[in-house]
Amino acid sequence: MKFPDLSMSNPIRLRDLIRQIRSAKTAAEERAVVQKECAYIRDSFRDEDNTWRCRNVAKLLYVSLLGYPAHFGQLECLKLIASTRFTDKRIGYLGAMLLLDERQDIHVLITNSLKNDLNHSNQYIAGLALCALGSICSPEMSRDLGGEVEKLMKSSNPYLKKKAVLCAVRIIRKVPEQFDVFQNSIRSLLSEKNHGVLLTATALIIEMCKQNSQALQIFRKLVPNLVRILKNLIMSGYSPEHDVSGISDPFLQVHLLRLMRILGRNDIEASETMNDILAQVSTNTENSKNVGNAILYETVLTIMDIKSESGLRVLAVNILGRFLLNNDKNIRYVALNTLLRVVHADHNAVQRHRATIVECLKDADVSIKRRAMELCFALINSNNIRTMITEMLTFLGTCEPEFKADCTSNMFLAMERFSPSKRWHVDQMIKVLTTAGNSVRDDIVSSLIGIISSAPDLHGYTAYQLFKIIRNDITQQPLVQVALWTLGEFGDLFVSEQYQHTDDQENIQVSEEEIVNILEKILNWSISTVITREYAINALMKLSTRFPSCSDQIQSVMTVYACNMNLELQTRAVEYTALFTKHNPIRSSIVQRMPVLVSTQTSNTNNEETTYEQEDSSSTNGISSVTQNEPVEDLFKILDEPSHTNGSNNLNSHNNIFDLLNSDDQQINTSSTPLEDILFDDNLPKSQSNNNFTSSIPSMNVIDKNGLCVTFQFEKQDQLLLIHLQATNSTQTPIKNFTFKAAVPKTFTLELLPPTSTTIPSNNTGDIRQIIKISNPNKEKLRMRIKINYSYNDSQMNDEAELNSFPQQCYN
Amino acid sequence: MIQFILLFSRQGKLRLQKWYTSQTDKSKKKITREIIAAVLSRKPKMSSFLEWKDLKVVYKRYASLYFCCAIEQDDNELLTLETIHRYVELLDKYFGSVCELDIIFNFEKAYFIFDEFILGGEVQETSKKSVLKAVNDQDVIQEEELEEKRSVLEDLGLA
């Protein structure tokens, strides 16, 4: 006789297990409880015990929520699903949704049970099956069961219908070809009264349109139906079942608006049909609570995306403006986000809200601040540049470190574009560098040096200002680097008072020794980075000729550094020491003042590359990792907008410059220096003759390096600008395989005629000539990037430059 | 579409999770950890929206529980707040003044309610009444079955 196994009592109930786990005092205790129970459960699964399977699986689901492994329960879920009891199925399907996913092979096994349950007479069982299918189906299951789902979509029971429709959404996501199976049922779904069915049908249409442009054509015909449904929703009286704070079924309203957006995009007819209802929703929706604002938000997104009339767009921007004043920070966030998307298209409308946007810079939320910052930069123009830069400087002083790099880069770009005067520009940039400390990007230093160099009348002034700052503080590397370069080049100007003082300057007498001492201090300071010290050593060298009295001091510094551990510093110091001794006669000509730099024409092409090509995401923390365009990138898109805001802005011109560089369509612009701008009179007559190259527009030296000299001469012919390129070679060896490439912003058109040859003979005995035709219908400022390749002495050479300062006559 | 939804306490303990994309267990755990850390470190003055990878995370705190929803870029964040609120209302109606303990001890019921409200990451029913009716009807079926089982066991003298 077999005695009943008294130790094998009923398994503990779910709540008792939960209570036990929660009363565990330590993690170890909890683990012990869980492991003991799991062991028991595993045993009972092995014993194929039907009675308590349901309870055991439920317990397993609980511990899996706590993070413990529960995969051994997967098969049990399948058995529960196959059971006839509703209780079992309910837990079984839940378990399947939580423990199985399409990666497991095991989950295909539920396909058969699903098929049976989908056809069950009890709607709740069919509902469970549909729910599981909609949550975890794989492509194979989708193909197997698609037909069943479609059948249920036609059921008269709205409970099953809506679930089947959402299943269909998932199925076509997994297997887009199934689209054909479902598309015929759509139209009838939209004529249902049941909100659940309408809502899910809208979701299905949205998914279909996302996948398939053919669907767009088909469903555009439904726009009047959608308008009608939406209209009924907002006009109908109070319906308690679907009401949320006085608004009738906001979920459905938002879905309809979203579908309308997809259908109205790029289609004028559909957009026109929607105009009225959009206006109605915008004006009638109650905006005191979040739910109303959610609808208004969706409406604004729709208006902005379709081909709506301008009055409606202004209405939308005004709604966003009102959002900005809302106390609810979520609404402010959403408004800023949306404004950022529309600022290019509706620039003037957004400008009206500039003051509010600037206020948002002071918000406590980091994401709001970031968006406000991006928006501010998008709104800067020549009218508001001064006030905006002041605001941004204040912001820069108080913002989080992750913003500083982007902020400074953007400020730099904005000032480059719009600054009213060079002096203001230089002043502001110095302030920026002082405020931003070490978070400034490297290319800003070289760009600023370019700017300083290009303003000769400000050389002394700038040197003086920078000297005053570094006299007190040498911790900020970018600022110090700029200061070092400037003092090295122009330090002698303000010492000997060869520049204009303005009235508010105190005339401090600065001696040459003082300057040299500061430079030496920076050089010797351990906190200075290697780059800074390289700048310092160069600057000192330059000053050795400008300040002859300090020449000995400088020479001894060089001798000391000739033994420095850092290779670069040592190399330079050794070379410079040689300049003092063996090559003393040529020292003054070597370190002579540099000619004015033409824009950012440096040989360090890598630096430029990082400025203009895809900016890698600034390394912000995980929380505020921005998925939107970098502000710098956005600003580049703006840079190519014409100054009169017409609608046909191409936002990708800067990136396209590089596309063009890689193709064979090459054109070259020339630019003259600002000095020549000042010197030449605008009223000179323009010559029209083709052979006469002495036009009124000054010619320009583009490249003068390693013996290769390229010049551009301009000629205006009606609306076209002709550039005559001439390349000569003063070396002993001919230059072969010479090719020019160039790219301009998209609003220009370029035509490059074939060159006369690809070889430049040596010793200036011949040249290459090439003609470039540029048309500039928008009369924008010319900019161009050029690239040359050639072989010289059997080695491949190449060079690149960015040309920004073309003579005004080129494009006026 | 909602990609996943997480409910967790202020101590970072997970109370409910529903995933509508296919992920390995390991990756689910990692994502959960990251999101919980990110949300718990938010200050009260901040907005309810986080950017996380290529998704938007919408969260709201109700008493001691954080409700966190990850949506796609083209979803409406403000509406998602309403969705979360609707779910809380449903729980409240079902449990009668719901608190965290209700969800802990009746997690499977919380899931059942959720599955009648949202399917495949999309809202399926906007009428509170309909959702609760469906859940209640199914509860009744379960109870009837339990009655049946109990009476069978009693007949056999095993109850």
Side-chain angles (χ1 to χ4, degrees):
Chain A
M1 182 166 133
K2 190 162 191 268
F3 285 103
D5 189 350
L6 292 171
S7 61
M8 195 61 186
S9 52
N10 290 346
I12 68 170
R13 300 158 70 151
L14 175 60
R15 1 193 74 225
D16 295 330
L17 175 64
I18 298 179
R19 228 171 259 133
Q20 243 185 13
I21 292 178
R22 283 171 63 77
S23 60
K25 304 255 180 350
T26 63
E29 216 183 305
E30 181 188 288
R31 253 199 311 275
V33 171
V34 169
Q35 272 163 7
K36 176 157 171 261
E37 187 60 32
C38 282
Y40 169 80
I41 293 177
R42 249 190 294 248
D43 282 341
S44 93
F45 283 166
R46 228 172 293 142
D47 293 343
E48 301 276 338
D49 185 352
N50 287 344
T51 338
W52 305 114
R53 186 178 285 133
C54 182
R55 184 183 285 181
N56 288 332
V57 168
K59 285 187 280 185
L60 205 54
L61 292 179
Y62 180 76
V63 306
S64 85
L65 201 54
L66 294 175
Y68 296 95
H71 43 271
F72 55 90
Q74 286 166 357
L75 214 44
E76 303 303 311
C77 293
L78 292 172
K79 293 184 191 156
L80 282 174
I81 291 173
S83 150
T84 48
R85 291 179 67 224
F86 181 77
T87 317
D88 286 349
K89 281 192 195 283
R90 217 179 182 194
I91 293 284
Y93 275 117
L94 179 63
M97 286 195 280
L98 291 179
L99 297 179
L100 296 178
D101 70 46
E102 53 187 294
R103 287 158 201 262
Q104 266 111 5
D105 301 324
I106 219 173
H107 107 307
V108 186
L109 295 174
I110 64 173
T111 311
N112 213 29
S113 300
L114 277 174
K115 195 162 188 159
N116 291 333
D117 286 338
L118 282 174
N119 292 315
H120 206 282
S121 50
N122 184 332
Q123 69 171 4
Y124 293 117
I125 292 185
L128 285 176
L130 282 168
C131 185
L133 193 59
S135 302
I136 62 165
C137 77
S138 64
E140 298 81 45
M141 282 165 73
S142 307
R143 283 193 202 96
D144 288 336
L145 298 169
E148 306 291 329
V149 172
E150 204 246 338
K151 225 168 48 188
L152 285 169
M153 264 169 70
K154 300 206 186 92
S155 149
S156 53
N157 183 344
Y159 178 79
L160 291 177
K161 234 176 156 105
K162 66 186 188 200
K163 287 185 193 271
V165 172
L166 285 182
C167 263
V169 173
R170 184 172 170 108
I171 288 176
I172 59 171
R173 235 179 239 142
K174 293 281 166 195
V175 186
E177 300 84 58
Q178 293 268 328
F179 167 79
D180 302 312
V181 174
F182 297 111
Q183 69 154 331
N184 296 321
S185 330
I186 302 279
R187 200 174 257 271
S188 57
L189 287 174
L190 280 183
S191 46
E192 291 272 330
K193 292 270 182 290
N194 182 301
H195 283 223
V197 174
L198 286 173
L199 183 65
T200 53
T202 321
L204 182 56
I205 303 178
I206 291 177
E207 188 61 35
M208 285 182 168
C209 291
K210 264 200 247 176
Q211 299 240 351
N212 190 334
S213 52
Q214 195 197 3
L216 274 175
Q217 312 276 30
I218 302 175
F219 294 126
R220 269 205 192 107
K221 304 193 193 95
L222 294 174
V223 170
N225 301 34
L226 298 171
V227 170
R228 201 171 7 99
I229 299 175
L230 186 54
K231 196 161 189 153
N232 285 338
L233 267 182
I234 49 184
M235 304 295 268
S236 67
Y238 177 73
S239 145
E241 210 180 325
H242 302 284
D243 179 275
V244 180
S245 304
I247 296 187
S248 186
D249 207 338
F251 301 98
L252 184 54
Q253 287 196 36
V254 167
H255 261 65
L256 287 168
L257 287 165
R258 186 155 149 210
L259 180 53
M260 283 193 222
R261 176 156 86 244
I262 296 178
L263 295 174
R265 210 178 265 154
N266 294 326
D267 188 286
I268 301 194
E269 204 187 310
S271 306
E272 260 171 39
T273 324
M274 298 171 197
N275 265 323
D276 283 340
I277 190 74
L278 288 172
Q280 203 175 359
V281 175
S282 310
T283 43
N284 286 350
T285 308
E286 182 64 47
N287 61 356
S288 54
K289 294 244 180 85
N290 182 61
V291 57
N293 286 323
I295 296 178
L296 285 171
Y297 174 42
E298 195 74 29
T299 316
V300 166
L301 287 175
T302 303
I303 293 176
M304 290 323 221
D305 223 4
I306 64 174
K307 303 254 182 223
S308 50
E309 52 187 33
S310 62
L312 206 52
R313 295 181 82 92
V314 171
L315 181 61
V317 174
N318 288 343
I319 292 179
L320 291 176
R322 271 207 309 277
F323 274 7
L324 280 180
L325 298 167
N326 197 309
N327 285 331
D328 186 342
K329 47 196 159 5
N330 294 332
I331 301 198
R332 285 205 301 276
Y333 172 94
V334 142
L336 283 171
N337 223 3
T338 320
L339 280 170
L340 202 51
R341 280 153 66 167
V342 306
V343 69
H344 302 308
D346 296 83
H347 195 91
N348 291 330
V350 180
Q351 276 284 1
R352 254 176 251 139
H353 302 280
R354 201 182 73 235
T356 330
I357 295 172
V358 169
E359 275 308 300
C360 291
L361 285 173
K362 307 187 183 100
D363 203 289
D365 182 330
V366 167
S367 336
I368 291 185
K369 266 204 248 198
R370 175 169 282 277
R371 274 158 187 73
M373 179 183 87
E374 291 177 22
L375 209 43
C376 282
F377 282 123
L379 290 176
I380 296 185
N381 61 29
S382 40
N383 292 331
N384 57 34
I385 177 96
R386 283 186 197 259
T387 37
M388 287 302 280
I389 293 288
T390 322
E391 291 287 348
M392 299 318 292
L393 266 173
T394 329
F395 173 68
L396 190 62
T398 54
C399 70
E400 284 81 354
E402 64 243 31
F403 287 131
K404 292 201 179 183
D406 286 335
C407 194
T408 48
S409 302
N410 280 320
M411 286 175 79
F412 190 83
L413 288 165
M415 287 195 272
E416 202 176 355
R417 219 181 152 204
F418 293 117
S419 64
S421 76
K422 286 269 178 193
R423 162 118 175 231
W424 180 87
H425 190 164
V426 166
D427 273 339
Q428 298 305 313
M429 270 320 291
I430 294 177
K431 276 193 204 146
V432 169
L433 285 183
T434 334
T435 323
N438 287 317
S439 352
V440 173
R441 292 205 176 97
D442 296 333
D443 45 302
I444 301 282
V445 170
S446 40
S447 308
L448 182 54
I449 287 178
I451 304 253
I452 293 176
S453 154
S454 67
D457 41 325
L458 290 177
H459 286 164
Y461 168 79
T462 318
Y464 183 47
Q465 295 304 318
L466 288 168
F467 174 73
K468 276 201 291 191
I469 297 175
I470 62 167
R471 205 166 44 165
N472 300 324
D473 169 28
I474 54 173
T475 52
Q476 306 192 84
Q477 301 302 306
L479 183 63
V480 168
Q481 286 166 14
V482 175
L484 285 168
W485 185 88
T486 316
L487 284 171
E489 280 290 309
F490 310 120
D492 55 324
L493 283 182
F494 75 87
V495 166
S496 50
E497 312 225 5
Q498 278 176 31
Y499 79 106
Q500 307 285 348
H501 279 290
T502 57
D503 323 277
D504 51 19
Q505 307 265 347
E506 334 97 74
N507 299 350
I508 304 177
Q509 284 294 77
V510 183
S511 71
E512 298 175 349
E513 280 85 37
E514 252 185 285
I515 301 182
V516 172
N517 286 340
I518 293 263
L519 262 53
E520 207 183 317
K521 182 170 156 207
I522 296 174
L523 180 58
N524 293 332
W525 204 35
S526 49
I527 310 266
S528 299
T529 62
V530 175
I531 308 269
T532 309
R533 296 164 93 183
E534 287 165 14
Y535 270 96
I537 226 178
N538 283 352
L540 274 172
M541 197 55 211
K542 290 179 195 167
L543 289 180
S544 71
T545 47
R546 313 220 204 305
F547 298 158
S549 57
C550 305
S551 174
D552 292 332
Q553 183 185 358
I554 296 175
Q555 185 173 2
S556 54
V557 171
M558 293 301 161
T559 325
V560 166
Y561 269 82
C563 316
N564 190 276
M565 293 301 286
N566 180 288
L567 185 60
E568 179 68 32
L569 288 176
Q570 192 191 104
T571 321
R572 290 185 194 207
V574 166
E575 287 166 3
Y576 291 152
T577 316
L579 271 185
F580 274 109
T581 51
K582 208 161 43 153
H583 301 290
N584 204 8
I586 58 169
R587 175 159 57 98
S588 51
S589 53
I590 297 261
V591 294
Q592 197 178 38
R593 226 193 286 294
M594 278 194 212
V596 172
L597 291 175
V598 176
S599 69
T600 48
Q601 199 174 354
T602 65
S603 55
N604 185 0
T605 50
N606 278 340
N607 234 358
E608 275 178 23
E609 231 74 59
T610 47
T611 320
Y612 291 102
E613 284 185 316
Q614 293 289 323
E615 290 263 38
D616 50 339
S617 305
S618 56
S619 48
T620 57
N621 308 332
I623 296 171
S624 50
S625 56
V626 183
T627 55
Q628 317 231 342
N629 288 334
E630 282 294 305
V632 182
E633 217 179 350
D634 274 343
L635 207 54
F636 277 112
K637 293 176 184 175
I638 304 169
L639 277 178
D640 294 302
E641 265 184 78
S643 47
H644 353 280
T645 46
N646 57 43
S648 58
N649 295 331
N650 187 311
L651 300 178
N652 284 321
S653 20
H654 232 280
N655 291 336
N656 278 340
I657 285 185
F658 293 90
D659 288 343
L660 286 173
L661 269 182
N662 295 328
S663 74
D664 280 328
D665 228 11
Q666 293 155 1
Q667 305 174 341
I668 305 175
N669 286 328
T670 61
S671 51
S672 70
T673 65
L675 263 182
E676 294 178 50
D677 276 342
I678 302 166
L679 293 174
F680 279 89
D681 193 356
D682 269 348
N683 292 330
L684 286 176
K686 317 240 189 277
S687 74
Q688 294 281 320
S689 143
N690 264 342
N691 296 324
N692 183 7
F693 290 158
T694 56
S695 81
S696 55
I697 311 176
S699 67
M700 174 187 187
N701 252 358
V702 173
I703 309 261
D704 192 357
K705 200 162 119 177
N706 299 329
L708 169 68
C709 177
V710 177
T711 56
F712 296 145
Q713 282 167 321
F714 299 97
E715 191 190 340
K716 270 258 181 171
Q717 216 180 52
D718 300 322
Q719 293 300 318
L720 284 181
L721 174 70
L722 289 179
I723 301 178
H724 300 277
L725 180 157
Q726 185 185 20
T728 51
N729 173 8
S730 60
T731 66
Q732 308 290 344
T733 331
I735 288 176
K736 300 203 168 81
N737 301 325
F738 189 87
T739 48
F740 268 101
K741 294 183 188 182
V744 285
K746 241 198 186 155
T747 47
F748 297 86
T749 45
L750 280 177
E751 193 193 344
L752 189 70
L753 303 182
T756 50
S757 88
T758 55
T759 306
I760 316 179
S762 55
N763 294 319
N764 289 328
T765 49
D767 58 18
I768 289 181
R769 285 171 191 265
Q770 202 166 7
I771 294 185
I772 307 119
K773 292 188 185 167
I774 295 181
S775 96
N776 177 7
N778 296 333
K779 299 237 182 283
E780 283 185 30
K781 190 169 187 260
L782 258 183
R783 285 167 36 202
M784 176 182 284
R785 187 135 186 176
I786 67 164
K787 196 169 179 184
I788 51 171
N789 296 309
Y790 57 96
S791 350
Y792 180 69
N793 276 340
D794 295 325
S795 59
Q796 229 358 65
M797 313 275 281
N798 42 35
D799 206 346
E800 282 186 38
E802 162 90 19
L803 305 173
N804 269 330
S805 31
F806 305 101
Q808 288 253 312
Q809 299 94 311
C810 286
Y811 46 86
N812 272 346
Chain B
M1 159 184 151
I2 298 175
Q3 293 233 346
F4 57 85
I5 186 160
L6 301 169
L7 261 70
F8 50 90
S9 70
R10 302 198 40 201
Q11 288 76 40
K13 288 201 103 108
L14 198 60
R15 298 299 177 207
L16 219 72
Q17 59 174 335
K18 187 90 186 183
W19 296 78
Y20 289 109
T21 53
S22 171
Q23 310 267 0
T24 59
D25 266 342
K26 199 164 148 213
S27 117
K28 278 187 205 172
K29 286 214 176 96
K30 180 161 180 278
I31 296 174
T32 307
R33 247 195 337 260
E34 283 174 21
I35 300 244
I36 292 183
V39 171
L40 287 179
S41 64
R42 299 277 283 186
K43 306 192 197 66
K45 279 228 182 292
M46 296 182 149
S47 68
S48 300
F49 312 125
L50 272 190
E51 280 122 26
W52 189 80
K53 300 222 179 128
D54 61 333
L55 299 173
K56 301 194 264 204
V57 172
V58 179
Y59 71 92
K60 192 142 186 225
R61 200 183 112 220
Y62 288 87
S64 57
L65 267 186
Y66 281 90
F67 287 70
C68 225
C69 218
I71 53 175
E72 293 173 339
Q73 284 299 329
D74 47 359
D75 288 323
N76 184 324
E77 301 97 313
L78 298 178
L79 192 72
T80 311
L81 282 172
E82 290 300 315
T83 310
I84 293 177
H85 190 74
R86 171 57 65 91
Y87 181 52
V88 173
E89 284 180 327
L90 289 167
L91 289 171
D92 197 50
K93 204 77 198 280
Y94 183 82
F95 288 109
S97 266
V98 67
C99 63
E100 193 183 340
L101 276 181
D102 290 323
I103 300 186
I104 295 173
F105 279 93
N106 300 290
F107 73 95
E108 80 277 16
K109 302 238 171 50
Y111 272 116
F112 295 149
I113 297 171
F114 191 79
D115 286 333
E116 287 297 329
F117 176 43
I118 292 182
L119 197 159
E122 302 273 354
V123 174
Q124 59 177 294
E125 180 57 65
T126 55
S127 153
K128 267 187 277 194
K129 210 171 72 175
S130 304
V131 173
L132 291 168
K133 177 172 188 302
V135 180
N136 284 324
D137 284 355
Q138 293 178 68
D139 285 347
V140 163
I141 300 180
Q142 256 191 276
E143 272 160 31
E144 286 172 356
E145 274 184 352
L146 199 57
E147 267 309 306
E148 240 177 70
K149 178 171 157 184
R150 200 173 286 138
S151 65
V152 165
L153 288 174
E154 271 170 359
D155 287 347
L156 293 175
L158 289 171

